[in-house]
Amino acid sequence: DIVMTQSPDSLAVSLGERATINCKSSQNVLYSSNNKNYLAWYQQKPGQPPKLLIYWASTRESGVPDRFSGSGSGTDFTLTISSLQAEDVAVYYCQQYYTTLAFGQGTKVELK
Amino acid sequence: QVQLVQSGAEVKKPGASVKVSCKASGYIFTSYAIHWLRQAPGQSLEWMGWINAGNGNTKYSQKFQGRVTITRDTSASTAYMELSSLRSEDTAVYYCARGLGIVGSAEYFHHWGQGTLVTVSS
């Protein structure tokens, strides 16, 4: 099974500053026949289900602010929040859907 | 709009079973897969299995094979997840999520239920 590892486990960022979260998969999640990375990102706030932010590694979900962006390919991926807002305080998860679904352990983003 | 509404919190004793429901609305129930995932307190998400809501075919995570059963009632647009032989480590919030289509593989999730807390305690 593919193991997803996020870094860091937690991150404190000032309002308006950039937040960067990394996600590494133990195996390649790029499907060569369609050149798509089977990688999604979610945001979860306390007491709520996860909210989809990004899929296919870099496609933003409808309604998600453009300060959220995803990048990377193969085994290494990044979620960037370009200018942190107070409402972005949450836990962020990456998920691969190349094989049996698996999630990273989560990265907690807090205000500095 | 797509809605998935789950049943309420449960408290069970070790060794018992629990059955959680997920009522769908806002789309054609039999045209999509329903997945079940869980999240233990302070932990990440764990995929348990899925059901083809059209024909009832299922696939389970190896971790839960033999202990989990996912079913559906098309007349009620409702999917169910039953977990047996409960132990304290099964204490978690259980979520249903709608698939992208009927197939159930290569899925990410736009739509989630609100979650159901299952507490296993003697």
Side-chain angles (χ1 to χ4, degrees), chain A residues 75-91:
Chain A
T75 59
D76 293 281
F77 300 90
T78 300
L79 175 70
T80 301
I81 309 171
S82 61
S83 176
L84 193 80
Q85 304 301 302
E87 60 266 30
D88 302 334
V89 169
V91 179

Side-chain angles (χ1 to χ4, degrees), chain A residues 31-98:
Chain A
Y31 191 35
S32 57
S33 67
N34 61 10
N35 201 37
K36 287 190 171 186
N37 287 284
Y38 284 53
L39 191 284
W41 289 96
Y42 298 85
Q43 174 193 69
Q44 188 177 34
K45 297 181 179 179
Q48 296 182 19
K51 175 188 174 183
L52 179 66
L53 297 175
I54 303 282
Y55 53 95
W56 300 126
S58 60
T59 301
R60 197 178 302 114
E61 169 74 328
S62 175
V64 172
D66 61 7
R67 63 180 180 273
F68 290 93
S69 63
S71 62
S73 185
T75 59
D76 293 281
F77 300 90
T78 300
L79 175 70
T80 301
I81 309 171
S82 61
S83 176
L84 193 80
Q85 304 301 302
E87 60 266 30
D88 302 334
V89 169
V91 179
Y92 293 84
Y93 294 97
C94 60
Q95 177 222 328
Q96 66 81 14
Y97 45 100
Y98 187 85

Side-chain angles (χ1 to χ4, degrees), chain B residues 48-63:
Chain B
M48 301 179 70
W50 68 274
I51 187 165
N52 176 324
N55 63 18
N57 286 349
T58 55
K59 183 174 181 180
Y60 303 125
S61 164
Q62 277 195 313
K63 175 173 178 175

